[in-house]
Amino acid sequence: MTQRSSTNSSNKRARLDSSRPTSLTPDLPGDHNAGGNVAMADEGDGGAYETEPHQPGSIVRVKLRNFVTYTAAEFFPGPSLNMIIGPNGTGKSTLVCAICLGLGWGPQHLGRAKDVSDYVKHGCNEAAIEIELAGWPDDEDGNPVIRRVLKREGNKSQFSINGKTSTLKAVLDLAKSFSIQIDNLCQFLPQDKVCEFAALTPVELLHSTQRAAAPEHMLEWHDNLKHLRTKQKTVQAQQATDTETLTNLDGRQQILRADVERLQERANIQKRLGMLEKARPFASYRVARARHAEAKKKSKEAQVELKKLEDEVEPSLRAVNRKQEYCQKVEKIVKERRRAVERAEGAADEAVQQQKDAEEKISDLKREFQAERDGDKQRKSDALRIEQNIKRLEKQIAEAPVEFDPLVYNEQIREKQRALRDLESKAQEIRQTARTQVQDGRDTNERIARANRELAALDSQAGQQTAKLREISRETAHAWEWIQEHQDEFEHRVYGPPILECSVENPRYVDLIESLFQRNDFLTFTTQSKNDFKKLGHQLYEVMKLAEINIRTSTVGLDQFRPPVSDEERERYGLEGWALDFIKGPEPVLAMLCGECRLHQTGITMRDVTERQFDALKDSPISSWVSSRASYQITRRREYGPGATSTRVRDLRRGRVWTDQPVDMGAKRELQMNIDQWTDEARELKRLADEANDKLSRLRDEAASLEREKRELEEEKSVKQRANQAYKALPTKLAQEQEKLSSLQQAGSELRARVLAISETITDRTIEKGRLALRYAELVAELMEAYKQLFEAEIMGHEAKSDVEALMERNRSVKQMLETRQHEVDQLVRESSEASRAGRRLLDECEKVLADEESGDELRDFLTTLPDSQTPEELEGEIESERTRLELVHEGNPNAVAEYENRQRTIDKLRDRVGRVEQQLQELDVAIGEIRSKWEPELDKLVEKISVAFSESFEKIGCAGQVEVHRDEDFDQWAIQIQVKFRENEPLSILDSHRQSGGERAVSTIFYLMALQSLARAPFRVVDEINQGMDPRNERIVHERMVDIACQERRQSPPNPDGDAEDGGEGVGGGGSQYFLITPKLLHGLKYHRRMKIHCIASGEYMPPAVEQGGDGIGGVGAGGPDGSVVDFRKVLQRKKALIQGVA
């Protein structure tokens, strides 16, 4: 079975959609000398792919669905060189994107869109990528199949491996187990990353080369060396800083030493001076202690003399003392009799209060007696009223009750209710039918009004355009109707599609202008703010669920879009104007079209473009123009040099949007017939609605009559029911009234008993009141006796005081002498106490000074050196002497000692740290040397192999090249230096963007990648449009060299799953490993090898539907021609070969 690639696309597509990709893989090996893009040999070599297995990790199959431009496609790459060819814009690079995203890497490695949702085909909700990789030979599970589904909503992805749901990490781990490195430009070089690879610095190139061709431990060694070198530089810098600081500090210490010695002498003087000042309280304490001893002695002597004097005058004072004692006793009796008077007064007051309380209680009893008598009168009145009620109730009971049967009334009321419900049910049915008829009538009237508007619109230009819009996209027309009805809800005006808003005034230019538009461009709505964009998108996509909608935001003015050349230059190129000059419409819509379709940069001319004009336009800043027969698009690839251009030419289609067409009379007749039919239906619906209203009116009258009869029955029932209930309640009411009467009669007996008890209580309280009056008279007599005894005692007290005063007057001189002597004794005692307190205060101060932990012991030792007889004055003299000495010693820098000591501590710490740093540097030197001894030889060996292969490729084209390792003291500056020579008379020079041209750089880049082919561990390589910008000679040589390397016989065994080759060599990717080369153009007569596989991708508006071929032993895809026939690419190539041979 021959390998094949296929692409299926929708058979029916609008003519405005010009991209329908198809991948055609003839799989035809053979003669590479035949002319044409890819020549074909005979069919005998067709089985090369069957005997050539894929290496582990290479791509066996790629299947796409709704991915970018592909609706459905499946590729079967060969195991060696795969050439993907086709015009620009057909989807070649889309395959590269599929490989990157399908294997789990992100869009950032492609240099295109940033979100995976942007790779979902327009109009679809999700896309799918399925990649089958070649498995390990001993793997029982066969080839692993990775599938990734891209969701437009939420920008999410779903992964599966071999049909089982998986994760991104598992997919990446599987890819990396085959040494696949999509993020390494040496393995995977997409179109938009070619410039990035060319811009790699030599340092970055070394890193990418090691990732692609070296074992993983070499990268780890390199990273470790860079880390250790960085750490070593940091430590060396620290060592230099510390050493310099240490030398500086030592010099400053020597300068400061003399000042420190002088300051230490001054400090000693200050210390002694401080000790002397602290000794002041001790000298004062000694003086205070001597003064206290002397005062204490004098106090004792004065007390002895006072005792002698008291003994001499004691007889004359004894009489005075006895009289004073008598006077004190009399005063005591006076106090006791005064308290007796107070007690008698209190008892009398209490008796008066008791009399008042008795009087109040008697008054309360009299009021209670009167209240009981009043209550008896009310009781008798109530009893008379109740007796009358009893007689009335007995009379009513004797009368006959009202006849009442509730069952009869209930049955009559229920009959009325059933009749009402039946009427309501009939009315509800009629109302439901009427509502349906009314709604049908409204719908019919709306259809009539809409048809009338459409009928009127057929005669206007706007109406014709609206009809065209509805024919092209009903969803867009529906959205425009909603926008027109809700235009006031937006911040700014929302413009409709250009098919409605714009026009081409000159019909001669309609075909030219419409050729610049795709189908979606005609249907795009234009908003003027982000808020309006979000609001409209939410309404159309989420609320109305419309899918075929395009919205753009125009926020810049039309004046921002300027043509690439002036009008004078445009006329010199033979162009009549710019596309923007021929189309009219609102400025925001035109600005949107300029941004999308570049109307301001596209030239327009009704004349054919001559060869001379074409060459001039090709070299001008103008990249697109339209003539009377075709449109031209110039694509320039600046990264490949000024000559890297390609031209796409498309024939013009006839315009269908902005053309004037006659009114469709058939459509008018159909609309008029519909209007007549709907008018008849509306009349019939109105007649039925009127009949329903009449029926409802009759039913309402009947229901009102029934409702009135039901209410009369209910009222009659209620009256009789109340009367019957009242008659039944009469015995109960009679019993209640009789019970009340009995209660009142019993209450009369109880009242008489209470009145008698109150009268007796009043009598008792009156007797008690008289007894209290007698007791009060007795207490008044006792009070008068107490006052009499108090007056007698007070008279005796006055007489005793008079006697004491007379005796004291006679002994006044003796007493004065004793008081004088006592005063002297008291004075001496106070002086002794004050001296004692002063001594204790000084003693506390001394103890406080000695309690100081810092100077206590030192002060005690110092005090022992002072003389015991030293007075405070002598101590002050010594203090003054020390102060004089202190003034003679120069003060200098007061912070010198502290600075000296702090600096010495810093010096000691620095010496310790310098020692540790030296030890650390020795350890780093050993570690760097150990790793470098392993890494550097392997790196030299790897680069030498690359250089040999690189030089061999350059020798094939008559040039020279080599690859070297640039060494540096810092390992992060080690780099790959590529040196090339393209001319004989010049030396080898380093490859950069200044010395070599774009084509020379492209040749060097591809040769370097091919040099990695036999060394790299990657199972496949992708290079997208690397040949752009090369001249034909270099492109032919590079192609031949690539074929030789990619298609040579495999000399190495495939790697095991651990990533090491069986021969200990260079892993996967020896000669003949899988290679993808994407290019939009090829030269004639390129070298062909039977292991090559060519994939042709084509797309366009007139592509026939893809039909799978079979039955002839050759795989591939045919494409139907305009007449529906099937195109067999093998037959086409065979016919071409026959024609070439016939000419020869």
Side-chain angles (χ1 to χ4, degrees), residues 361-362 365-366 369 752-768:
K361 290 179 180 179
I362 292 172
L365 289 170
K366 289 179 178 179
F369 179 82
R752 287 189 292 274
R754 287 198 302 275
V755 169
L756 180 61
I758 293 172
S759 297
E760 294 176 353
T761 304
I762 291 174
T763 303
D764 294 339
R765 295 297 182 187
T766 303
I767 295 172
E768 179 65 22

Side-chain angles (χ1 to χ4, degrees), residues 152-167:
R152 181 183 298 278
E153 184 177 358
N155 194 34
K156 298 179 180 178
S157 297
Q158 295 177 351
F159 293 91
S160 64
I161 299 177
N162 293 332
K164 297 180 180 179
T165 302
S166 186
T167 63

Side-chain angles (χ1 to χ4, degrees), residues 911-940:
R911 285 199 175 97
D912 293 340
R913 188 162 68 187
V914 167
R916 291 195 302 272
V917 168
E918 291 176 351
Q919 178 66 26
Q920 189 176 4
L921 284 175
Q922 292 176 2
E923 294 173 356
L924 288 172
D925 289 338
V926 172
I928 291 174
E930 181 180 353
I931 297 176
R932 181 172 181 175
S933 64
K934 296 183 292 184
W935 174 69
E936 188 172 6
E938 289 197 27
L939 179 62
D940 291 338

Side-chain angles (χ1 to χ4, degrees), residues 357-371:
D357 292 341
E359 183 65 32
E360 289 179 359
K361 290 179 180 179
I362 292 172
S363 300
D364 292 339
L365 289 170
K366 289 179 178 179
R367 284 192 294 271
E368 184 178 357
F369 179 82
Q370 185 63 35

Side-chain angles (χ1 to χ4, degrees), residues 712-752:
E712 292 174 353
L713 286 172
E714 288 175 345
E715 291 175 357
E716 184 179 351
K717 172 190 172 183
S718 177
V719 170
K720 291 185 178 181
Q721 189 174 21
R722 287 196 299 270
N724 185 269
Q725 290 175 351
Y727 181 79
K728 291 180 180 179
L730 289 176
T732 303
K733 292 182 178 180
L734 179 61
Q736 292 175 350
E737 292 296 322
Q738 289 174 347
E739 184 178 356
K740 291 180 182 178
L741 181 60
S742 176
S743 298
L744 290 174
Q745 291 173 351
Q746 183 179 358
S749 301
E750 294 176 355
L751 176 62
R752 287 189 292 274

Side-chain angles (χ1 to χ4, degrees), residues 102-120:
L103 293 177
W105 272 265
Q108 67 272 17
H109 300 292
L110 297 172
R112 293 192 172 189
K114 296 181 180 179
D115 298 326
V116 294
S117 61
D118 295 331
Y119 292 86
V120 180

